[in-house]
Amino acid sequence: MLNSTRTTSLNPLLEGLRPSPTLAMSMRMRERAAAGEEVYRLGFGQSPFPVPEEVVQAAVAHIREKDYLPVSGLWPLREAVAAFHQRTSGQPCSPEQVLIGPGSKELIFNLQFAFEGEVLLPAPSWVSYAPQARLTGKQPRWIHTGAQHQWKLQPAGLEATCEQVGDVPKLLILNSPNNPSGQSFSPEECRELAAVARRYGLLLLSDEIYGELHHEGRHSCMAPYYPEGTVVTGGISKWCGAGGWRLGYAIFPPQLQWLQQAMSSMASETYSAVSAPIQYAAVNAFRGSQSLDDYLQASRRILKAIGQYCYRELRQAGITLPPPDGGFYLFPSFESCKGRWKHQTITTDRQLCEKLLDETGVALLPGSDFGCDPASLCARLAYVDFDGEKALQAVQNGHIQPEDAAFIPEYAPLIQQAVQRVREWTMP
Ligand code: PMP
Ligand code: GLU
């Protein structure tokens, strides 16, 4: 009896921990599709585009690399990431400042683990930040934003929370372009938030995994505005279509070397190093080339066209949402439909998503998974259910422009059907 109690005891930090909503939804979609049910996969946010051929070829060429690599990453890769960061943010960066990890998700977790103090999260924020904070024994503190501010953290809200929290170390996690809202901070917004961060001496984790997918190619990196306190994370999962390759990076300023060293030691005791062939291949991705620039350019135009289409169609149906300017997500609120639709039994966002999936096959994730009030009936829509390879080829070969009216029906028919189904479903 005693023995069985011992062997079944769970670390209390894991109590209530469930599979991450994004990955759980991805599994659920596979099961539904296998059972022959209709599915529109707007729940899981994965790049629809293939890994660029030259990056694939680099992985193939290095498949025999079998040795463990240095814990902080392959030196040429750290050089390439530093040069990439310098090119895209305008901020000087040396390879010593770069830490390579098995996806930025793991690096974000390790940073939260290494940090002692309060974790501040804007609501909505990406699904994994808060569970990660809890896993490290911290209760994240939400800072509510609002539809009237396009779900963007406001300097005044940040300031008020910093005052409330008082004199303890504080970590703020920001994400731009944003998952779930599809919104990006402008240079001015970065400057204003940075001023508050500096005033309160915050540690700022700027998750810029969608930076290269700003639809106009005009991403504002947070680090130049608050260099001494900002850690930037990114990777190849989104702009390079390589989510399953599991490679990300974090860039630390010299002032936060203590944190970088602690995270590198954690790496040495946990994952050791990222897979060698993938690190060699990623060197090519970060060095860049004309063909990678063309790939990115076409990816952005396609995402912009599809994002704008979904935005327009939903807005016309009376659903509230801000127009996206980066990444591949939308964050509609169905609250405005409440008075007029036939689904009077729906009072929470989870009920909404379940009923929508049941009745239309369209998968969305409830806003409460992102820290929002369940009663506000928000949901996240990932507009990635289309054949990215086919769309990219057609655009790059000049067969069609993403802005043409024929593009959506021809190259994103499932997105079109899904959005029309959502519209119809919300009608009286
Ligand atoms: N941040 C955000 C906002 C994300 O959507 C994701 C999902 N891939 C990640 C971080 C983690 O990315 P990865 O671990 O694949 O680098
Ligand atoms: N980032 C993706 C999403 O938000 C999924 C990948 C993940 O959660 O690790 O849907």
Side-chain angles (χ1 to χ4, degrees):
M1 210 46 194
L2 196 61
N3 274 349
S4 75
T5 317
R6 280 203 190 129
T7 52
T8 56
S9 80
L10 180 72
N11 180 339
L13 289 175
L14 271 76
E15 250 157 51
L17 182 71
R18 311 183 76 91
S20 189
T22 51
L23 296 155
M25 182 50 93
S26 170
M27 288 305 294
R28 216 170 140 190
M29 287 297 103
R30 271 181 219 194
E31 286 161 15
R32 274 182 78 101
E37 290 178 75
E38 215 169 21
V39 287
Y40 295 96
R41 299 163 198 263
L42 312 191
F44 184 64
Q46 159 157 276
S47 165
F49 301 114
V51 179
E53 189 52 29
E54 66 200 81
V55 181
V56 171
Q57 287 310 324
V60 171
H62 288 96
I63 199 66
R64 290 201 168 76
E65 293 292 345
K66 62 168 197 59
D67 289 345
Y68 285 90
L69 293 180
V71 170
S72 292
L74 182 71
W75 185 254
L77 177 57
R78 294 173 75 193
E79 284 179 324
V81 170
F84 168 86
H85 179 71
Q86 202 156 316
R87 220 166 48 236
T88 53
S89 72
Q91 192 196 34
C93 180
S94 73
E96 286 84 358
Q97 292 172 252
V98 177
L99 176 64
I100 303 298
S104 61
K105 191 173 190 171
E106 183 69 24
L107 293 169
I108 295 167
F109 172 75
N110 287 358
L111 189 147
Q112 297 206 63
F113 188 90
F115 166 80
E116 182 64 42
E118 286 269 338
V119 175
L120 314 182
L121 299 178
S125 270
W126 180 46
V127 290
S128 288
Y129 303 146
Q132 286 188 350
R134 292 188 201 104
L135 274 175
T136 73
K138 304 176 186 80
Q139 269 313 321
R141 189 181 283 256
W142 294 105
I143 313 175
H144 291 281
T145 65
Q148 74 279 22
H149 295 125
Q150 293 85 42
W151 307 108
K152 287 185 190 181
L153 179 65
Q154 300 298 299
L158 176 60
E159 179 137 28
T161 303
C162 289
E163 285 292 329
Q164 266 170 20
V165 171
D167 196 19
V168 287
K170 293 175 267 305
L171 163 66
L172 170 69
I173 307 186
L174 293 180
N175 171 223
S176 172
N178 189 267
N179 176 1
S181 72
Q183 301 295 298
S184 307
F185 290 128
S186 66
E188 194 44 40
E189 289 165 333
C190 289
R191 188 172 296 114
E192 286 173 10
L193 288 167
V196 181
R198 179 172 293 118
R199 205 170 319 133
Y200 290 91
L202 304 188
L203 172 60
L204 178 55
L205 194 173
S206 186
D207 176 351
E208 305 190 9
I209 188 94
Y210 297 96
E212 290 303 285
L213 294 183
H214 185 280
H215 295 170
E216 309 295 341
R218 288 207 307 264
H219 168 60
S220 296
C221 175
M222 201 67 204
Y225 298 94
Y226 183 38
E228 69 276 27
T230 305
V231 176
V232 176
T233 55
I236 55 173
S237 296
K238 307 301 172 182
W239 69 268
C240 198
W245 286 21
R246 310 309 303 128
L247 184 138
Y249 64 78
I251 297 174
F252 300 81
Q255 293 88 337
L256 296 176
Q257 220 198 354
W258 57 272
L259 182 60
Q260 182 176 356
Q261 262 165 12
M263 285 172 61
S264 179
S265 299
M266 281 177 72
S268 75
E269 297 291 16
T270 52
Y271 57 82
S272 302
V274 173
S275 149
I278 297 301
Q279 291 206 49
Y280 281 97
V283 175
N284 286 58
F286 287 111
R287 276 193 188 144
S289 65
Q290 189 54 52
S291 66
L292 280 171
D293 283 351
D294 295 345
Y295 163 95
L296 257 179
Q297 190 79 8
S299 307
R300 288 174 186 149
R301 284 176 62 206
I302 293 170
L303 290 175
K304 178 178 171 182
I306 298 181
Q308 290 297 323
Y309 166 81
C310 297
Y311 161 71
R312 277 194 312 270
E313 293 294 313
L314 295 176
R315 199 187 52 162
Q316 274 169 15
I319 298 161
T320 325
L321 75 171
D325 62 16
F328 37 66
Y329 303 104
L330 292 171
F331 199 58
S333 163
F334 293 82
E335 211 174 4
S336 54
C337 306
K338 259 188 195 161
R340 58 175 164 83
W341 67 9
K342 48 189 178 290
H343 314 290
Q344 294 305 327
T345 53
I346 294 179
T347 54
T348 69
D349 52 7
R350 201 165 297 282
Q351 290 166 349
L352 180 140
C353 291
E354 285 299 326
K355 206 161 162 36
L356 182 71
L357 179 60
D358 265 6
E359 295 179 4
T360 66
V362 178
L364 306 182
L365 285 184
S368 48
D369 284 344
F370 299 80
C372 284
D373 176 2
S376 65
L377 300 190
C378 290
R380 188 195 73 176
L381 183 158
Y383 48 91
V384 292
D385 196 357
F386 63 95
D387 184 338
E389 186 161 6
K390 199 170 136 201
L392 204 56
Q393 251 174 24
V395 169
Q396 289 194 304
N397 293 342
H399 288 327
I400 192 159
Q401 305 298 318
E403 300 76 22
D404 290 354
F407 181 78
I408 303 284
E410 215 167 308
Y411 292 95
L414 293 178
I415 301 262
Q416 186 181 34
Q417 283 168 33
V419 166
Q420 295 311 325
R421 285 187 169 213
V422 173
R423 276 176 61 115
E424 283 157 27
W425 187 79
T426 58
M427 295 293 169

PDB file of all heavy atoms in Angstrom, residues 268-295:
ATOM      1  N   SER A 268      22.907  22.109 -20.655  1.00  0.00           N
ATOM      2  CA  SER A 268      23.910  21.039 -20.555  1.00  0.00           C
ATOM      3  C   SER A 268      23.424  19.897 -19.668  1.00  0.00           C
ATOM      4  O   SER A 268      23.884  18.775 -19.796  1.00  0.00           O
ATOM      5  CB  SER A 268      25.241  21.601 -20.048  1.00  0.00           C
ATOM      6  OG  SER A 268      25.144  21.857 -18.654  1.00  0.00           O
ATOM      7  N   GLU A 269      22.485  20.184 -18.772  1.00  0.00           N
ATOM      8  CA  GLU A 269      21.951  19.141 -17.886  1.00  0.00           C
ATOM      9  C   GLU A 269      20.616  18.588 -18.376  1.00  0.00           C
ATOM     10  O   GLU A 269      20.030  17.718 -17.732  1.00  0.00           O
ATOM     11  CB  GLU A 269      21.766  19.687 -16.460  1.00  0.00           C
ATOM     12  CG  GLU A 269      23.045  20.118 -15.765  1.00  0.00           C
ATOM     13  CD  GLU A 269      23.978  18.948 -15.417  1.00  0.00           C
ATOM     14  OE1 GLU A 269      23.828  17.841 -15.951  1.00  0.00           O
ATOM     15  OE2 GLU A 269      24.884  19.186 -14.597  1.00  0.00           O
ATOM     16  N   THR A 270      20.112  19.107 -19.479  1.00  0.00           N
ATOM     17  CA  THR A 270      18.805  18.621 -19.942  1.00  0.00           C
ATOM     18  C   THR A 270      18.871  18.131 -21.395  1.00  0.00           C
ATOM     19  O   THR A 270      19.031  16.947 -21.637  1.00  0.00           O
ATOM     20  CB  THR A 270      17.703  19.690 -19.769  1.00  0.00           C
ATOM     21  OG1 THR A 270      18.127  20.915 -20.380  1.00  0.00           O
ATOM     22  CG2 THR A 270      17.389  19.936 -18.295  1.00  0.00           C
ATOM     23  N   TYR A 271      18.874  19.041 -22.384  1.00  0.00           N
ATOM     24  CA  TYR A 271      18.848  18.538 -23.767  1.00  0.00           C
ATOM     25  C   TYR A 271      20.221  18.435 -24.409  1.00  0.00           C
ATOM     26  O   TYR A 271      20.349  17.968 -25.528  1.00  0.00           O
ATOM     27  CB  TYR A 271      17.899  19.375 -24.636  1.00  0.00           C
ATOM     28  CG  TYR A 271      18.198  20.866 -24.690  1.00  0.00           C
ATOM     29  CD1 TYR A 271      19.168  21.382 -25.549  1.00  0.00           C
ATOM     30  CD2 TYR A 271      17.493  21.760 -23.889  1.00  0.00           C
ATOM     31  CE1 TYR A 271      19.432  22.732 -25.604  1.00  0.00           C
ATOM     32  CE2 TYR A 271      17.754  23.116 -23.938  1.00  0.00           C
ATOM     33  CZ  TYR A 271      18.734  23.601 -24.793  1.00  0.00           C
ATOM     34  OH  TYR A 271      19.003  24.946 -24.844  1.00  0.00           O
ATOM     35  N   SER A 272      21.277  18.881 -23.741  1.00  0.00           N
ATOM     36  CA  SER A 272      22.682  18.815 -24.204  1.00  0.00           C
ATOM     37  C   SER A 272      22.977  19.728 -25.383  1.00  0.00           C
ATOM     38  O   SER A 272      23.846  20.579 -25.304  1.00  0.00           O
ATOM     39  CB  SER A 272      23.116  17.390 -24.579  1.00  0.00           C
ATOM     40  OG  SER A 272      22.947  16.545 -23.480  1.00  0.00           O
ATOM     41  N   ALA A 273      22.274  19.539 -26.480  1.00  0.00           N
ATOM     42  CA  ALA A 273      22.466  20.388 -27.663  1.00  0.00           C
ATOM     43  C   ALA A 273      21.375  20.015 -28.650  1.00  0.00           C
ATOM     44  O   ALA A 273      20.776  18.950 -28.544  1.00  0.00           O
ATOM     45  CB  ALA A 273      23.827  20.134 -28.298  1.00  0.00           C
ATOM     46  N   VAL A 274      21.147  20.915 -29.625  1.00  0.00           N
ATOM     47  CA  VAL A 274      20.130  20.630 -30.660  1.00  0.00           C
ATOM     48  C   VAL A 274      20.735  19.674 -31.691  1.00  0.00           C
ATOM     49  O   VAL A 274      21.948  19.691 -31.942  1.00  0.00           O
ATOM     50  CB  VAL A 274      19.673  21.957 -31.312  1.00  0.00           C
ATOM     51  CG1 VAL A 274      18.748  21.708 -32.494  1.00  0.00           C
ATOM     52  CG2 VAL A 274      18.981  22.832 -30.266  1.00  0.00           C
ATOM     53  N   SER A 275      19.888  18.875 -32.289  1.00  0.00           N
ATOM     54  CA  SER A 275      20.268  17.907 -33.321  1.00  0.00           C
ATOM     55  C   SER A 275      21.267  18.507 -34.326  1.00  0.00           C
ATOM     56  O   SER A 275      21.041  19.581 -34.887  1.00  0.00           O
ATOM     57  CB  SER A 275      18.971  17.488 -34.027  1.00  0.00           C
ATOM     58  OG  SER A 275      19.215  17.169 -35.363  1.00  0.00           O
ATOM     59  N   ALA A 276      22.359  17.776 -34.571  1.00  0.00           N
ATOM     60  CA  ALA A 276      23.470  18.330 -35.375  1.00  0.00           C
ATOM     61  C   ALA A 276      23.070  18.642 -36.828  1.00  0.00           C
ATOM     62  O   ALA A 276      23.322  19.758 -37.299  1.00  0.00           O
ATOM     63  CB  ALA A 276      24.665  17.386 -35.313  1.00  0.00           C
ATOM     64  N   PRO A 277      22.454  17.702 -37.575  1.00  0.00           N
ATOM     65  CA  PRO A 277      22.142  18.038 -38.982  1.00  0.00           C
ATOM     66  C   PRO A 277      21.248  19.279 -39.107  1.00  0.00           C
ATOM     67  O   PRO A 277      21.412  20.080 -40.027  1.00  0.00           O
ATOM     68  CB  PRO A 277      21.392  16.783 -39.478  1.00  0.00           C
ATOM     69  CG  PRO A 277      21.814  15.682 -38.559  1.00  0.00           C
ATOM     70  CD  PRO A 277      22.069  16.329 -37.225  1.00  0.00           C
ATOM     71  N   ILE A 278      20.332  19.426 -38.159  1.00  0.00           N
ATOM     72  CA  ILE A 278      19.420  20.572 -38.209  1.00  0.00           C
ATOM     73  C   ILE A 278      20.189  21.878 -37.971  1.00  0.00           C
ATOM     74  O   ILE A 278      19.920  22.899 -38.614  1.00  0.00           O
ATOM     75  CB  ILE A 278      18.303  20.402 -37.145  1.00  0.00           C
ATOM     76  CG1 ILE A 278      17.446  19.168 -37.443  1.00  0.00           C
ATOM     77  CG2 ILE A 278      17.433  21.646 -37.021  1.00  0.00           C
ATOM     78  CD1 ILE A 278      16.751  19.172 -38.792  1.00  0.00           C
ATOM     79  N   GLN A 279      21.148  21.839 -37.082  1.00  0.00           N
ATOM     80  CA  GLN A 279      21.924  23.060 -36.840  1.00  0.00           C
ATOM     81  C   GLN A 279      22.724  23.442 -38.091  1.00  0.00           C
ATOM     82  O   GLN A 279      22.792  24.614 -38.460  1.00  0.00           O
ATOM     83  CB  GLN A 279      22.881  22.870 -35.663  1.00  0.00           C
ATOM     84  CG  GLN A 279      22.173  22.747 -34.330  1.00  0.00           C
ATOM     85  CD  GLN A 279      23.053  23.194 -33.177  1.00  0.00           C
ATOM     86  OE1 GLN A 279      23.663  24.259 -33.218  1.00  0.00           O
ATOM     87  NE2 GLN A 279      23.117  22.362 -32.148  1.00  0.00           N
ATOM     88  N   TYR A 280      23.327  22.442 -38.742  1.00  0.00           N
ATOM     89  CA  TYR A 280      24.074  22.753 -39.970  1.00  0.00           C
ATOM     90  C   TYR A 280      23.144  23.341 -41.028  1.00  0.00           C
ATOM     91  O   TYR A 280      23.488  24.303 -41.723  1.00  0.00           O
ATOM     92  CB  TYR A 280      24.771  21.492 -40.511  1.00  0.00           C
ATOM     93  CG  TYR A 280      26.049  21.168 -39.775  1.00  0.00           C
ATOM     94  CD1 TYR A 280      26.067  20.228 -38.744  1.00  0.00           C
ATOM     95  CD2 TYR A 280      27.244  21.824 -40.101  1.00  0.00           C
ATOM     96  CE1 TYR A 280      27.237  19.939 -38.056  1.00  0.00           C
ATOM     97  CE2 TYR A 280      28.418  21.542 -39.415  1.00  0.00           C
ATOM     98  CZ  TYR A 280      28.411  20.601 -38.394  1.00  0.00           C
ATOM     99  OH  TYR A 280      29.565  20.338 -37.719  1.00  0.00           O
ATOM    100  N   ALA A 281      21.963  22.755 -41.145  1.00  0.00           N
ATOM    101  CA  ALA A 281      21.020  23.239 -42.165  1.00  0.00           C
ATOM    102  C   ALA A 281      20.570  24.664 -41.859  1.00  0.00           C
ATOM    103  O   ALA A 281      20.412  25.492 -42.760  1.00  0.00           O
ATOM    104  CB  ALA A 281      19.808  22.314 -42.230  1.00  0.00           C
ATOM    105  N   ALA A 282      20.372  24.955 -40.565  1.00  0.00           N
ATOM    106  CA  ALA A 282      19.857  26.274 -40.182  1.00  0.00           C
ATOM    107  C   ALA A 282      20.865  27.385 -40.495  1.00  0.00           C
ATOM    108  O   ALA A 282      20.482  28.547 -40.660  1.00  0.00           O
ATOM    109  CB  ALA A 282      19.491  26.280 -38.699  1.00  0.00           C
ATOM    110  N   VAL A 283      22.155  27.033 -40.607  1.00  0.00           N
ATOM    111  CA  VAL A 283      23.146  28.050 -40.981  1.00  0.00           C
ATOM    112  C   VAL A 283      22.719  28.681 -42.305  1.00  0.00           C
ATOM    113  O   VAL A 283      22.707  29.904 -42.457  1.00  0.00           O
ATOM    114  CB  VAL A 283      24.565  27.426 -41.110  1.00  0.00           C
ATOM    115  CG1 VAL A 283      25.563  28.458 -41.619  1.00  0.00           C
ATOM    116  CG2 VAL A 283      25.019  26.830 -39.777  1.00  0.00           C
ATOM    117  N   ASN A 284      22.319  27.839 -43.263  1.00  0.00           N
ATOM    118  CA  ASN A 284      21.895  28.355 -44.578  1.00  0.00           C
ATOM    119  C   ASN A 284      20.663  29.242 -44.464  1.00  0.00           C
ATOM    120  O   ASN A 284      20.552  30.248 -45.152  1.00  0.00           O
ATOM    121  CB  ASN A 284      21.542  27.196 -45.513  1.00  0.00           C
ATOM    122  CG  ASN A 284      22.772  26.490 -45.983  1.00  0.00           C
ATOM    123  OD1 ASN A 284      23.546  26.000 -45.150  1.00  0.00           O
ATOM    124  ND2 ASN A 284      22.996  26.463 -47.281  1.00  0.00           N
ATOM    125  N   ALA A 285      19.721  28.830 -43.592  1.00  0.00           N
ATOM    126  CA  ALA A 285      18.496  29.609 -43.445  1.00  0.00           C
ATOM    127  C   ALA A 285      18.825  31.016 -42.951  1.00  0.00           C
ATOM    128  O   ALA A 285      18.306  32.007 -43.473  1.00  0.00           O
ATOM    129  CB  ALA A 285      17.545  28.911 -42.483  1.00  0.00           C
ATOM    130  N   PHE A 286      19.687  31.110 -41.954  1.00  0.00           N
ATOM    131  CA  PHE A 286      19.957  32.434 -41.364  1.00  0.00           C
ATOM    132  C   PHE A 286      20.936  33.266 -42.193  1.00  0.00           C
ATOM    133  O   PHE A 286      20.895  34.486 -42.120  1.00  0.00           O
ATOM    134  CB  PHE A 286      20.436  32.283 -39.916  1.00  0.00           C
ATOM    135  CG  PHE A 286      19.330  31.881 -38.987  1.00  0.00           C
ATOM    136  CD1 PHE A 286      19.295  30.629 -38.397  1.00  0.00           C
ATOM    137  CD2 PHE A 286      18.284  32.753 -38.713  1.00  0.00           C
ATOM    138  CE1 PHE A 286      18.268  30.246 -37.554  1.00  0.00           C
ATOM    139  CE2 PHE A 286      17.237  32.394 -37.864  1.00  0.00           C
ATOM    140  CZ  PHE A 286      17.231  31.132 -37.280  1.00  0.00           C
ATOM    141  N   ARG A 287      21.813  32.592 -42.966  1.00  0.00           N
ATOM    142  CA  ARG A 287      22.712  33.391 -43.818  1.00  0.00           C
ATOM    143  C   ARG A 287      21.913  34.124 -44.871  1.00  0.00           C
ATOM    144  O   ARG A 287      22.253  35.211 -45.287  1.00  0.00           O
ATOM    145  CB  ARG A 287      23.741  32.483 -44.487  1.00  0.00           C
ATOM    146  CG  ARG A 287      24.915  32.217 -43.575  1.00  0.00           C
ATOM    147  CD  ARG A 287      26.068  31.589 -44.326  1.00  0.00           C
ATOM    148  NE  ARG A 287      27.095  31.180 -43.375  1.00  0.00           N
ATOM    149  CZ  ARG A 287      27.833  30.104 -43.485  1.00  0.00           C
ATOM    150  NH1 ARG A 287      27.686  29.304 -44.536  1.00  0.00           N
ATOM    151  NH2 ARG A 287      28.746  29.828 -42.579  1.00  0.00           N
ATOM    152  N   GLY A 288      20.849  33.483 -45.326  1.00  0.00           N
ATOM    153  CA  GLY A 288      19.976  34.134 -46.304  1.00  0.00           C
ATOM    154  C   GLY A 288      20.527  34.070 -47.715  1.00  0.00           C
ATOM    155  O   GLY A 288      21.681  33.681 -47.935  1.00  0.00           O
ATOM    156  N   SER A 289      19.687  34.390 -48.682  1.00  0.00           N
ATOM    157  CA  SER A 289      20.069  34.378 -50.098  1.00  0.00           C
ATOM    158  C   SER A 289      18.945  35.067 -50.857  1.00  0.00           C
ATOM    159  O   SER A 289      17.873  35.330 -50.295  1.00  0.00           O
ATOM    160  CB  SER A 289      20.194  32.933 -50.597  1.00  0.00           C
ATOM    161  OG  SER A 289      18.915  32.318 -50.557  1.00  0.00           O
ATOM    162  N   GLN A 290      19.206  35.300 -52.135  1.00  0.00           N
ATOM    163  CA  GLN A 290      18.162  35.925 -52.949  1.00  0.00           C
ATOM    164  C   GLN A 290      16.922  35.031 -52.989  1.00  0.00           C
ATOM    165  O   GLN A 290      15.789  35.508 -52.872  1.00  0.00           O
ATOM    166  CB  GLN A 290      18.689  36.172 -54.367  1.00  0.00           C
ATOM    167  CG  GLN A 290      17.747  37.004 -55.228  1.00  0.00           C
ATOM    168  CD  GLN A 290      17.371  38.340 -54.560  1.00  0.00           C
ATOM    169  OE1 GLN A 290      18.248  39.088 -54.136  1.00  0.00           O
ATOM    170  NE2 GLN A 290      16.070  38.611 -54.434  1.00  0.00           N
ATOM    171  N   SER A 291      17.139  33.715 -53.120  1.00  0.00           N
ATOM    172  CA  SER A 291      15.955  32.852 -53.256  1.00  0.00           C
ATOM    173  C   SER A 291      15.180  32.774 -51.933  1.00  0.00           C
ATOM    174  O   SER A 291      13.958  32.659 -51.945  1.00  0.00           O
ATOM    175  CB  SER A 291      16.323  31.470 -53.790  1.00  0.00           C
ATOM    176  OG  SER A 291      17.098  30.792 -52.856  1.00  0.00           O
ATOM    177  N   LEU A 292      15.880  32.862 -50.799  1.00  0.00           N
ATOM    178  CA  LEU A 292      15.151  32.894 -49.522  1.00  0.00           C
ATOM    179  C   LEU A 292      14.359  34.200 -49.386  1.00  0.00           C
ATOM    180  O   LEU A 292      13.241  34.211 -48.866  1.00  0.00           O
ATOM    181  CB  LEU A 292      16.107  32.733 -48.345  1.00  0.00           C
ATOM    182  CG  LEU A 292      16.540  31.289 -48.061  1.00  0.00           C
ATOM    183  CD1 LEU A 292      17.645  31.261 -47.016  1.00  0.00           C
ATOM    184  CD2 LEU A 292      15.367  30.456 -47.586  1.00  0.00           C
ATOM    185  N   ASP A 293      14.965  35.285 -49.870  1.00  0.00           N
ATOM    186  CA  ASP A 293      14.231  36.566 -49.843  1.00  0.00           C
ATOM    187  C   ASP A 293      12.968  36.470 -50.697  1.00  0.00           C
ATOM    188  O   ASP A 293      11.901  36.950 -50.299  1.00  0.00           O
ATOM    189  CB  ASP A 293      15.092  37.709 -50.391  1.00  0.00           C
ATOM    190  CG  ASP A 293      16.129  38.165 -49.370  1.00  0.00           C
ATOM    191  OD1 ASP A 293      16.054  37.714 -48.210  1.00  0.00           O
ATOM    192  OD2 ASP A 293      17.014  38.947 -49.749  1.00  0.00           O
ATOM    193  N   ASP A 294      13.096  35.823 -51.870  1.00  0.00           N
ATOM    194  CA  ASP A 294      11.930  35.685 -52.759  1.00  0.00           C
ATOM    195  C   ASP A 294      10.854  34.822 -52.096  1.00  0.00           C
ATOM    196  O   ASP A 294       9.653  35.115 -52.191  1.00  0.00           O
ATOM    197  CB  ASP A 294      12.337  35.044 -54.101  1.00  0.00           C
ATOM    198  CG  ASP A 294      13.287  35.946 -54.885  1.00  0.00           C
ATOM    199  OD1 ASP A 294      13.383  37.147 -54.533  1.00  0.00           O
ATOM    200  OD2 ASP A 294      13.952  35.443 -55.811  1.00  0.00           O
ATOM    201  N   TYR A 295      11.296  33.763 -51.458  1.00  0.00           N
ATOM    202  CA  TYR A 295      10.377  32.852 -50.740  1.00  0.00           C
ATOM    203  C   TYR A 295       9.611  33.626 -49.665  1.00  0.00           C
ATOM    204  O   TYR A 295       8.388  33.518 -49.548  1.00  0.00           O
ATOM    205  CB  TYR A 295      11.227  31.731 -50.148  1.00  0.00           C
ATOM    206  CG  TYR A 295      10.618  30.879 -49.043  1.00  0.00           C
ATOM    207  CD1 TYR A 295       9.987  29.669 -49.334  1.00  0.00           C
ATOM    208  CD2 TYR A 295      10.720  31.248 -47.696  1.00  0.00           C
ATOM    209  CE1 TYR A 295       9.468  28.865 -48.320  1.00  0.00           C
ATOM    210  CE2 TYR A 295      10.206  30.458 -46.678  1.00  0.00           C
ATOM    211  CZ  TYR A 295       9.576  29.267 -46.996  1.00  0.00           C
ATOM    212  OH  TYR A 295       9.067  28.487 -45.993  1.00  0.00           O
TER     213      TYR A 295
END
